[in-house]
Amino acid sequence: MANILDGTALSKEIRSEVAESALNLKALHNLTPGLAAVLVGDDPASAVYVRNKGRACDEVGIFSEIFRLPKDTSQQSVLALVDKLNKDPRFHGILVQLPLPEQINETTIIEHIDPAKDVDGIHPFNLGKLTQGIPEFIPGTPAGVQQLLIRNGYDPAGKHVVICGRSNIVGKPLATLLTQRSNGANATVTVCHTRTENISEFTKTADIVVAAIGQPKAITADMLKPGCIVIDVGINRVEDTSRKSGYRLIGDVDYENILPVCEAITPVPVGVGPMTIAMLLVNTVKAAEKSVT
Ligand code: GUN
């Protein structure tokens, strides 16, 4: 039976480490780490994520505030808010929840965040530092995937990792992270995407498969090498009339059918999801620590 990689338990462990660091900051510098979360519009999934991030901050002693802006907010207004938050000493981290409404250029907004407060690690400065092997802030999901692997005893060193998906916040930075010459990395990485011909040819050779596609059950058991490790980054809403909400969350992999084939697998939504949040907290405390050292 496959080893189920429990993101909730592991994220608890990391959150307790963060809480201890926050206590130290308070004791040594009388400083409370602060996170500003910006939510533009009313995307229900984004609203849930931001609320969860705020709650997670409360639990570890990070002060947080959510700044909600209406769906039709102008780019100028978002830039003005980011400006204000860049200057506000209460906040060591700024998170602008993505995606943004279409009238707003995401790149412009991200580039406007002070890199020293970019706890999402998606400013070009921070992505550049990551590429150079001297990371300041590693984006939450890639960092969470790496921790899930190494803290469960699956060192990616020398392994073939196949990442399905090339987004700026998951696929590309994860490929960069796992190819580093450093502990918990040193993998051989292949990135597959929408224009990859015959993805199975690649996934079948993978020791570790990461699905970050955004399509329910896109990765099936026949696409995998028996004994591989499966990391499911997908969070897809599918209709489920038996639930009060009318939907349930499923990943990018065909979980039930893969379970008997793989060595280990992350469940959805309690695998990678809680790890992304935990690593955001890690980065926020790190940003606060950097502000006083
Ligand atoms: N949208 C989906 N995942 C993320 C994330 O990790 N950070 C931000 N800012 N937006 C997201």
Side-chain angles (χ1 to χ4, degrees), residues 38 46 49 53 94-99 120 122 139-142 169-170 276 280:
V38 178
S46 289
Y49 297 151
K53 288 170 186 176
I94 301 170
L95 161 116
V96 178
Q97 186 66 26
L98 304 177
D120 247 343
I122 53 177
T141 303
I169 59 171
V170 183
T276 297
L280 171 72

Side-chain angles (χ1 to χ4, degrees), residues 1-22:
M1 192 59 178
N3 184 9
I4 314 270
L5 306 178
D6 183 342
T8 306
L10 188 52
S11 77
K12 259 196 197 130
E13 187 181 312
I14 292 173
R15 279 184 280 141
S16 74
E17 293 164 14
V18 172
E20 200 179 316
S21 303

Side-chain angles (χ1 to χ4, degrees), residues 189-204:
V189 175
T190 301
V191 180
C192 296
H193 47 75
T194 43
R195 296 294 296 267
T196 302
E197 289 177 10
N198 200 354
I199 283 192
S200 301
E201 244 173 57
F202 298 95
T203 52
K204 273 186 184 152

Side-chain angles (χ1 to χ4, degrees), residues 9-212:
L10 188 52
S11 77
K12 259 196 197 130
E13 187 181 312
I14 292 173
R15 279 184 280 141
S16 74
E17 293 164 14
V18 172
E20 200 179 316
S21 303
L23 277 176
N24 280 339
L25 268 174
K26 190 74 192 165
L28 293 175
H29 300 280
N30 193 28
L31 186 68
T32 303
L35 176 72
V38 178
L39 176 62
V40 188
D42 45 20
D43 177 66
S46 289
V48 172
Y49 297 151
V50 168
R51 199 180 331 125
N52 289 344
K53 288 170 186 176
R55 281 186 190 150
C57 282
D58 294 343
E59 283 171 22
V60 297
I62 295 174
F63 160 73
S64 75
E65 196 170 329
I66 301 175
F67 295 83
R68 292 184 173 82
L69 296 171
K71 194 168 63 184
D72 60 359
T73 301
S74 69
Q75 173 156 311
Q76 214 47 48
S77 305
V78 182
L79 288 173
L81 174 59
V82 171
D83 250 342
K84 199 178 83 174
L85 298 172
N86 279 340
K87 293 182 190 126
D88 191 330
R90 292 177 303 157
F91 300 115
H92 307 93
I94 301 170
L95 161 116
V96 178
Q97 186 66 26
L98 304 177
L100 290 165
E102 59 184 20
Q103 76 276 13
I104 299 169
N105 184 308
E106 278 182 6
T107 311
T108 306
I109 302 299
I110 292 166
E111 287 183 3
H112 211 69
I113 299 171
D114 178 350
K117 294 193 176 189
D118 170 40
V119 287
D120 247 343
I122 53 177
H123 187 286
F125 175 85
N126 286 316
L127 289 172
K129 296 285 274 191
L130 176 64
T131 304
Q132 290 178 322
I134 40 174
E136 300 274 343
F137 297 111
I138 303 170
T141 303
V145 169
Q146 186 186 39
Q147 290 300 315
L148 260 173
L149 288 170
I150 58 184
R151 292 198 190 211
N152 281 291
Y154 300 115
D155 186 348
K159 302 294 182 200
H160 184 205
V161 179
V162 173
I163 300 170
C164 303
R166 57 174 156 187
S167 69
N168 286 338
I169 59 171
V170 183
K172 281 192 275 184
L174 181 61
T176 305
L177 182 63
L178 295 183
T179 45
Q180 313 259 34
R181 187 197 295 267
S182 65
N183 286 341
N186 287 310
T188 304
V189 175
T190 301
V191 180
C192 296
H193 47 75
T194 43
R195 296 294 296 267
T196 302
E197 289 177 10
N198 200 354
I199 283 192
S200 301
E201 244 173 57
F202 298 95
T203 52
K204 273 186 184 152
T205 69
D207 304 304
I208 301 169
V209 174
V210 180

